[in-house]
Amino acid sequence: MKNNIDLQNLAEQLSCPNGDEGIEVGEQMNESNFGMIKTTIDHLQLQNKEQILELGHGNCKHLPYVLNQAKDLEYIGLELSQVMKNSAITNNSDYLNANIRFEIIMDERIHFYEKRFDKIFTVNTIYFWKNPKFFLSEIYRVLKFNGEFALTFAKKEFMETLPFTQFGFNLYTEDEVIKLLKSAKFSIENRKTFSESVISKAGEKVDREYSIIIAKK
């Protein structure tokens, strides 16, 4: 078992990876989260020429999977971590063009005009939102009318079993997330629960329960 200093450092890296250790954490996150990311993308049912926004893309080794879903997609990824943005650029250098790019989000303001995106998704980031009501209002603002937002997260009951989540994580039940979404004017299109066996960020094998909520503007 790691001591509290190690656990706190891990929690900080998961929130915003930095330095050489951040690159390694990014690799671990991509490996452990890929099942959640893939299932989330599948549920969005991307269509040709849609404009996609991902919040907290990590090293984004899943970008080819996104782009294989439909033709002529526009994809923009936003990240707090400069290290993860740089890793995403390195991992996807063959795909980058005017319609495929990565940018830094400095706060929880999304600097795009209203009704910009057809689909928005985020996986395992809600724990770190400082002002979830404001951030969801921003997501709602930049989503097109009838656009869809997929919010994927591990359930509070599971997350509470992980030792590092006591440091800086805000944990949610499915009902709490739905309440937040509705307060930001979203309607709930679908909600599903999944379970998978993964290696946790602390290096232990665990059975993770997670939810995907599809919300609509």
Side-chain angles (χ1 to χ4, degrees):
M1 178 65 69
K2 296 185 177 184
N3 62 39
N4 281 352
I5 295 175
D6 291 338
L7 292 172
Q8 185 168 2
N9 179 63
L10 174 60
E12 291 171 356
Q13 286 287 358
L14 292 171
S15 171
C16 185
N18 64 87
D20 292 339
E21 185 179 357
I23 296 173
E24 181 180 346
V25 168
E27 291 288 339
Q28 294 171 351
M29 285 195 294
N30 181 265
E31 183 175 343
S32 66
N33 292 340
F34 187 77
M36 295 176 73
I37 297 169
K38 178 179 179 293
T39 306
T40 302
I41 294 165
D42 291 344
H43 277 73
L44 279 175
Q45 299 181 325
L46 304 182
Q47 305 296 313
N48 294 345
K49 297 184 178 181
E50 285 190 326
Q51 295 160 329
I52 314 302
L53 177 66
E54 182 178 7
L55 304 167
H57 52 71
N59 68 17
C60 207
K61 286 189 173 181
H62 56 273
L63 180 62
Y65 189 82
V66 175
L67 300 180
N68 284 335
Q69 302 305 303
K71 296 179 180 178
D72 301 320
L73 293 175
E74 179 183 9
Y75 170 96
I76 298 175
L78 293 184
E79 254 293 343
L80 283 171
S81 167
Q82 184 67 49
V83 167
M84 288 297 92
K85 177 190 172 184
N86 293 344
S87 292
I89 290 171
T90 299
N91 292 330
N92 297 287
S93 58
D94 292 342
Y95 299 98
L96 299 182
N97 57 49
N99 288 325
I100 309 293
R101 63 188 191 274
F102 302 100
E103 299 183 7
I104 290 291
I105 182 170
M106 299 302 296
D107 49 28
E108 292 178 344
R109 296 183 186 276
I110 300 175
H111 296 287
F112 292 104
Y113 55 80
E114 292 183 7
K115 303 173 186 175
R116 172 71 169 79
F117 297 98
D118 297 286
K119 305 279 175 65
I120 301 175
F121 72 100
T122 190
V123 177
N124 281 339
T125 68
I126 190 172
Y127 329 114
F128 310 115
W129 297 357
K130 291 180 170 55
N131 189 339
K133 289 185 178 180
F134 173 77
F135 198 35
L136 285 171
S137 72
E138 282 287 275
I139 294 167
Y140 186 90
R141 181 181 62 80
V142 299
L143 191 62
K144 292 180 181 179
F145 182 68
N146 282 329
E148 291 182 333
F149 169 47
L151 176 53
T152 301
F153 59 100
K155 291 189 173 185
K156 182 177 183 177
E157 296 84 356
F158 164 75
M159 294 293 284
E160 286 177 335
T161 69
L162 303 177
F164 53 83
T165 60
Q166 63 185 297
F167 300 102
F169 280 67
N170 296 311
L171 307 180
Y172 298 89
T173 65
E174 194 174 90
D175 286 342
E176 288 170 338
V177 172
I178 287 173
K179 184 177 180 180
L180 280 171
L181 286 163
K182 288 182 175 179
S183 73
K185 302 181 181 178
F186 283 102
S187 61
I188 306 304
E189 287 289 293
N190 198 359
R191 55 192 285 187
K192 288 189 176 181
T193 297
F194 300 86
S195 181
E196 61 179 359
S197 294
V198 295
I199 302 299
S200 80
K201 309 306 185 300
E204 302 169 343
K205 187 175 181 179
V206 294
D207 293 322
R208 173 170 62 191
E209 276 203 350
Y210 68 91
S211 296
I212 298 177
I213 299 176
I214 305 294
K216 194 169 186 176
K217 183 170 181 177

